[in-house]
Amino acid sequence: MPKPELPKSYNPAEYESGIYAMWEKNNAFSPAGDKSKEPFSVIMPPPNANGSLHAGHAMYVVDDIATRYNRMLGRPTLWLPGVDHAGIETQVVFERELAKQDKTRFDLGKDEFYKQALQFTTDNKHTVLEQMRSLGFSADWQKLKFTLDQDIIEIVYDTFKKLNDDGLIYRGNRIVNWCPHCHSGFADIEIKYRTQIDPLYYIKYGPFVLATVRPETKFGDTAIAVHPKDERYQDYIGQEIESEGLLGKFKLKVIADDFVDPEFGTGVVKVTPAHDPNDWEMGLRHNLEVKQVIGTDGRLTAIAGKYSGMSVDEARTQVAQDLEQAGLIDHINMNYEHSIGYHDRCGTQIEPLVIEQWWLKVDKLKKLAIDAIDKNEVVFYPARFKSQALNWLEGLRDWNISRQNWFGIAIPVYYNATGDKSKPEYIIGEEKDAIEVYGKAGYEKETDTFDTWFSSSQWPFATLQSTGDFDQYYPTSLMATMRDILYLWVTRMIMLGIYKTGEVPFKTVYLWGSVNDAEGKKMSKSKGNVLDPLELTQEFGTDALRLALVIGITPGTGGSLSQEKVQGYRNFCNKLWNVARYTLSKTESISDISEILLENPADHWMSSKLNTAITKITQSIERYNYSSAGQSAYSLLWDDLADQYIEYSKTSTNPTMLAYSLDTVLRLLHPFAPFVTEAIWQQLPWRDTILISEQWPNVYLEPDGTQAKKFEKEIISILAEKQSNIDETKIVKLKKEIATKQNFESIILKKLNNDNFVANAPKEVVDQQKDLLKSTQKEIAELKDELAKTAQH
């Protein structure tokens, strides 16, 4: 029975959902393939279940291309999907939802807040998954994992217990990045720094004048520091100085430390170990007292006397005023530029505070990762990220893995509340274990949760162990993710993966950059330049977006995305559709293309082009150069098949070769543009399969090089004649456009040279005309440049 003719135009909305349903009905996403071949596996970086997908998530197309390609190679292939509860980030988002109801998490209480936040993520999880399906992602959804699945939590607990048993876990008071809004500590890497201008106060400390931007913390000073080789202060080192303060006189010892920059300010700094990371380190080196001036609520403590209870900003202003009135300020630099840390999630300024936390010793773990990366057991694309990963790991300090947020995986620790010191201080395990050791009323449960990066750093082995796929698919073949989380996630997965399993979690790391706007600027709501990937797919089709996200975007660098770019690839999909319509009109009677005769020079030329493309695209994908692979497939379809071979076939058709050419192009393009290629494949009279499960094309035609070159010479001659005609037409058109623009320019200039217009027209109208003049002159310059280039051909 003949298949229906393709419609004149391709409307993605009419095909995409039906094609995806067909794939799922045929279990096309489940691991299959030849078990004698090396398996391919990739773990999806779990998107946060607290909102919609954005352009960055659309870059998961890289995972999908790799998955579809390896599936077509016949390898057992698993793309294991997941969704992240996202801990503090979800808490921040959900608290904003509560604020719309004039509620806070404290109104709900910890248990109810967790329950509602979990439901919030569950609801959003379904939305995220549907959006990912709409982008054509061929993950094995039957194996979907959630970071709060009980089996995942149990694996995380097992890792925590093993780390503790190996002496790598401890609880201690150390300085952390504290967010007064989230009431939680965070790792250094979770902090974003902003450059800002603040007053730099030069304060009198006895015989010294020292500079600080934080006069409100002076009540926590426990020393004065100078550089050991600073000749100005040699006589003071080791001495105690007395100074007048706002709460009376006080004494501080002068210490010498290499950290002090003699060029900063006066070369003298106050040391406040409780509220500055560098001062904390100096305090450890010199055994200094720790005096906490700022509490976890972001307000000054009782140590600050009359300033107690003030917010940091209030206290800073008041203390500075009082110091000035007391004659204790020498002078103020009002334009001091420096960096300030802010919590990446909620935007609150970070307060360095000394808080008791759970810490992970990293020296042993980072050595495991460094050795593996050094030996290229993990290969990075681009290669420059290898040295970046190594440098970061070398400098890594003990990791604060506890968080005080209310949403996340609870730390499985139970404290001794019996008063019986013969029993252990705490145990790690389940509540029944605590009851057994301490009795029903003899323990207190830890209220902190794990840093989500601690639990997600176990994601590759935890997911595969929980689905029963660990033995076959670990280590995974590929980890593709955004370069921004190389340190936050990738390096930590390597550390914990090797520690827990003895093997690296993945063999290859592919890092992509941010998705920027057309001008290369980062997308943000405040700039109004955000592009919604789902809106783009609705307007231009999913394949067009996928192609736009791959072609022209190299690994590790930010790529530009615009409506115009996506629209351009929609045109490409339409070109493919039109090629298919023409080919099908010439091949209705073909039912088999297993034997192909090369009948003329054009056939030899086209088969040569197909062979070259198969080789080049395969090599590019194997080297993770998806842009080059996509561009080669694009050129094969548009430049070679459509513009050359099909044009020739209109005068002399070899239906079988024409069919084979389309068949091969569809296979090569399928990983990049799965919907339109599958839609066409279903109409091929010589196929009765689904393209997603077909084989990747191999080179098997043997064209005659002499015949191919003969056809190429004919093409060059015809093209040269065509190009000459095109250029002449274009030159005439460009000259007309320039003349039109120049006429418009003269009209604007006439207005702006009119004194009455400039004097009497509203300012915004005059400014508008000036802007219009600039843009018009820019357009004229661009047209002239294009005219010059065209005339040179």
Side-chain angles (χ1 to χ4, degrees):
M1 180 178 177
K3 295 182 179 181
E5 182 181 336
L6 285 180
K8 288 186 178 180
S9 60
Y10 173 60
N11 182 359
E14 294 180 6
Y15 292 90
E16 290 185 358
S17 61
I19 287 173
Y20 200 90
M22 178 185 68
W23 290 334
E24 291 201 287
K25 182 180 178 181
N26 283 274
N27 293 317
F29 305 156
S30 299
D34 183 347
K35 291 187 178 180
S36 68
K37 293 185 176 181
E38 181 185 358
F40 176 86
S41 57
V42 54
I43 306 294
M44 179 183 291
N48 297 340
N50 56 29
S52 295
L53 295 183
H54 52 69
H57 292 119
M59 282 302 298
Y60 287 10
V61 67
V62 167
D63 283 358
D64 194 50
I65 291 170
T67 300
R68 289 177 182 272
Y69 166 74
N70 281 280
R71 191 184 286 128
M72 293 177 79
L73 288 180
R75 298 169 67 182
T77 301
L78 171 64
W79 183 12
L80 199 155
V83 184
D84 192 0
H85 71 282
I88 187 61
E89 184 166 343
T90 292
Q91 178 168 313
V92 170
V93 172
F94 186 58
E95 284 190 86
R96 289 176 187 149
E97 294 299 311
L98 287 177
K100 296 174 184 177
Q101 308 168 32
D102 293 325
K103 291 182 179 180
T104 69
R105 59 186 160 120
F106 301 102
D107 293 323
L108 300 182
K110 194 167 186 178
D111 291 343
E112 182 61 23
F113 178 84
Y114 183 92
K115 178 182 176 182
Q116 291 193 24
L118 180 60
Q119 186 60 52
F120 174 72
T121 60
T122 300
D123 294 342
N124 273 293
K125 182 168 67 172
H126 296 305
T127 301
V128 168
L129 294 177
E130 285 307 309
Q131 291 172 340
M132 298 185 87
R133 283 182 164 92
S134 74
L135 291 171
F137 295 159
S138 59
D140 187 355
W141 302 110
Q142 295 177 13
K143 295 181 183 290
L144 175 72
K145 299 304 298 181
F146 181 41
T147 51
L148 291 182
D149 286 345
Q150 189 57 39
D151 50 10
I152 296 292
I153 292 174
E154 289 172 2
I155 292 169
V156 171
Y157 283 174
D158 181 72
T159 302
F160 181 67
K161 186 177 188 307
K162 175 176 167 57
L163 288 164
N164 183 72
D165 292 345
D166 288 345
L168 300 179
I169 295 288
Y170 65 95
R171 186 162 174 80
N173 282 293
R174 294 184 58 179
I175 199 160
V176 299
N177 302 293
W178 183 264
C179 175
H181 175 268
C182 297
H183 289 270
S184 182
F186 296 94
D188 293 345
I189 204 163
E190 294 173 271
I191 308 307
K192 297 297 182 185
Y193 288 88
R194 304 177 193 168
T195 299
Q196 61 188 51
I197 303 295
D198 283 313
L200 181 64
Y201 301 93
Y202 285 76
I203 305 175
K204 298 174 184 177
Y205 273 65
F208 301 116
V209 172
L210 58 84
T212 180
V213 292
R214 303 207 63 180
E216 75 282 2
T217 65
K218 73 187 308 294
F219 310 108
D221 298 344
T222 55
I224 294 288
V226 298
H227 193 276
K229 294 183 180 179
D230 194 330
E231 294 181 358
R232 293 172 294 179
Y233 306 115
Q234 290 298 307
D235 292 342
Y236 291 100
I237 295 173
Q239 303 299 313
E240 193 174 65
I241 60 108
E242 184 176 75
S243 179
E244 192 71 40
L246 297 177
L247 302 179
K249 291 184 178 181
F250 61 92
K251 294 181 179 181
L252 292 174
K253 185 179 180 180
V254 180
I255 63 172
D257 197 282
D258 288 331
F259 169 76
V260 179
D261 179 4
E263 302 299 321
F264 172 75
T266 60
V268 184
V269 297
K270 67 188 192 72
V271 185
T272 319
H275 300 291
D276 182 276
N278 297 313
D279 291 8
W280 166 261
E281 296 295 335
M282 275 198 283
L284 292 178
R285 289 194 289 271
H286 298 275
N287 196 29
L288 299 179
E289 181 185 0
V290 177
K291 296 166 64 177
Q292 188 161 324
V293 182
I294 300 168
T296 56
D297 59 356
R299 295 182 176 276
L300 271 63
T301 64
I303 290 177
K306 63 183 180 180
Y307 305 98
S308 173
M310 289 185 180
S311 70
V312 168
D313 288 341
E314 291 170 341
R316 184 175 303 168
T317 301
Q318 191 60 55
V319 168
Q321 288 178 359
D322 292 351
L323 285 170
E324 201 157 19
Q325 289 177 2
L328 295 174
I329 288 188
D330 183 83
H331 67 283
I332 304 173
N333 175 359
M334 297 302 295
N335 297 300
Y336 177 63
E337 185 177 291
H338 65 140
S339 293
I340 292 293
Y342 287 82
H343 181 208
D344 187 31
R345 305 306 184 190
C346 69
T348 302
Q349 185 171 323
I350 285 296
E351 283 296 340
L353 296 182
V354 177
I355 305 286
E356 191 174 39
Q357 302 278 290
W358 285 96
W359 297 84
L360 173 61
K361 297 178 182 178
V362 299
D363 284 350
K364 176 182 177 180
L365 301 179
K366 74 181 186 182
K367 186 178 185 308
L368 295 174
I370 289 168
D371 289 348
I373 296 171
D374 264 335
K375 294 174 183 175
N376 290 322
E377 292 176 24
V378 179
V379 178
F380 288 84
Y381 288 88
R384 68 178 185 272
F385 286 107
K386 175 182 178 178
S387 60
Q388 292 184 24
L390 288 172
N391 290 339
W392 186 80
L393 283 164
E394 291 284 1
L396 185 61
R397 299 181 294 181
D398 286 1
W399 176 5
N400 166 22
I401 60 171
S402 55
R403 297 290 179 266
Q404 290 67 52
N405 47 285
W406 288 8
F407 189 62
I409 298 176
I411 295 179
V413 169
Y414 299 85
Y415 296 99
N416 182 357
T418 64
D420 183 352
K421 293 187 178 180
S422 66
K423 293 183 177 181
E425 179 188 352
Y426 66 85
I427 64 166
I428 294 173
E430 300 179 32
E431 196 157 15
K432 62 181 178 61
D433 301 320
I435 294 172
E436 184 178 333
V437 175
Y438 302 126
K440 286 189 176 180
Y443 65 89
E444 291 181 359
K445 190 178 186 312
E446 173 61 78
T447 57
D448 286 358
T449 59
F450 281 122
D451 172 13
T452 52
W453 295 112
F454 174 74
S455 53
S456 63
S457 291
Q458 303 173 52
W459 195 236
F461 66 81
T463 51
L464 290 169
Q465 286 175 352
S466 67
T467 61
D469 293 302
F470 181 85
D471 290 343
Q472 184 176 7
Y473 290 106
Y474 189 93
T476 60
S477 309
L478 172 68
M479 170 51 64
T481 190
M482 190 174 182
R483 69 182 182 196
D484 290 11
I485 53 177
L486 169 63
Y487 312 131
L488 275 167
W489 194 40
V490 175
T491 53
R492 290 170 168 179
M493 281 191 285
I494 298 172
M495 287 196 307
L496 288 177
I498 300 173
Y499 169 74
K500 191 70 181 290
T501 72
E503 295 184 271
V504 295
F506 30 74
K507 300 170 186 175
T508 301
V509 173
Y510 177 100
L511 298 167
W512 63 72
S514 57
V515 180
N516 303 319
D517 67 9
E519 297 178 359
K521 296 177 181 177
K522 187 175 180 179
M523 293 185 187
S524 70
K525 291 181 180 178
S526 60
K527 293 178 183 175
N529 64 345
V530 173
L531 290 175
D532 185 334
L534 302 176
E535 290 180 2
L536 290 172
T537 59
Q538 288 171 8
E539 185 171 358
F540 303 113
T542 300
D543 294 324
L545 175 64
R546 290 169 61 109
L547 289 162
L549 286 168
V550 173
I551 299 177
I553 297 181
T554 54
T557 58
S560 294
L561 183 68
S562 65
Q563 282 198 347
E564 291 75 18
K565 186 177 182 183
V566 181
Q567 185 176 9
Y569 286 108
R570 181 197 63 183
N571 296 342
F572 171 75
C573 292
N574 289 337
K575 185 74 169 182
L576 175 61
W577 189 263
N578 291 333
V579 166
R581 287 188 77 245
Y582 172 81
T583 301
L584 292 176
S585 72
K586 301 295 182 182
T587 57
E588 293 174 348
S589 61
I590 292 180
S591 59
D592 181 22
I593 60 169
S594 58
E595 293 186 13
I596 301 164
L597 295 177
L598 304 181
E599 298 175 350
N600 52 57
D603 292 347
H604 287 275
W605 180 85
M606 189 64 218
S607 64
S608 175
K609 289 293 184 180
L610 289 166
N611 288 351
T612 300
I614 291 168
T615 301
K616 186 174 181 181
I617 293 168
T618 301
Q619 290 176 344
S620 294
I621 293 178
E622 291 286 351
R623 294 168 183 165
Y624 298 95
N625 192 341
Y626 298 116
S627 177
S628 175
Q631 184 61 57
S632 295
Y634 180 104
S635 180
L636 175 68
L637 178 278
W638 199 297
D639 300 333
D640 300 331
L641 180 56
D643 286 357
Q644 308 307 330
Y645 186 69
I646 282 182
E647 284 302 311
Y648 173 82
S649 72
K650 291 177 181 178
T651 58
S652 178
T653 304
N654 179 348
T656 309
M657 183 59 195
L658 194 58
Y660 170 75
S661 299
L662 176 62
D663 190 288
T664 304
V665 166
L666 291 175
R667 292 171 191 263
L668 292 171
L669 272 170
H670 179 71
F672 303 90
F675 287 112
V676 65
T677 53
E678 187 73 80
I680 294 169
W681 188 269
Q682 293 306 307
Q683 304 305 314
L684 302 183
W686 59 90
R687 296 296 178 197
D688 191 22
T689 57
I690 56 175
L691 177 55
I692 190 175
S693 301
E694 275 288 339
Q695 292 183 347
W696 187 250
N698 292 311
V699 171
Y700 80 93
L701 291 181
E702 298 180 358
D704 183 316
T706 303
Q707 292 285 333
K709 286 181 181 179
K710 180 181 178 182
F711 179 69
E712 196 160 273
K713 287 179 181 178
E714 292 177 6
I715 292 174
I716 292 170
S717 175
I718 294 169
L719 276 178
E721 186 177 345
K722 283 185 178 179
Q723 187 63 48
S724 176
N725 293 333
I726 291 170
D727 287 347
E728 288 181 17
T729 304
K730 190 173 182 180
I731 287 170
V732 172
K733 184 180 179 183
L734 285 170
K735 286 181 176 179
K736 285 183 179 179
E737 287 186 40
I738 291 170
T740 301
K741 294 289 183 183
Q742 287 175 331
N743 183 53
F744 188 45
E745 177 191 26
S746 66
I747 293 171
I748 301 170
L749 283 169
K750 189 174 181 180
K751 279 187 181 180
L752 291 174
N753 290 330
N754 186 328
D755 293 339
N756 289 331
F757 171 77
V758 175
N760 298 319
K763 183 178 181 300
E764 59 269 23
V765 173
V766 176
D767 289 344
Q768 185 183 46
Q769 289 297 312
K770 289 179 179 178
D771 291 341
L772 195 57
L773 177 64
K774 287 181 182 178
S775 63
T776 303
Q777 289 173 336
K778 182 182 177 183
E779 289 172 358
I780 291 170
E782 289 172 350
L783 287 168
K784 285 182 176 179
D785 184 53
E786 188 176 354
L787 176 62
K789 290 177 182 177
T790 304
Q792 289 174 1
H793 284 167

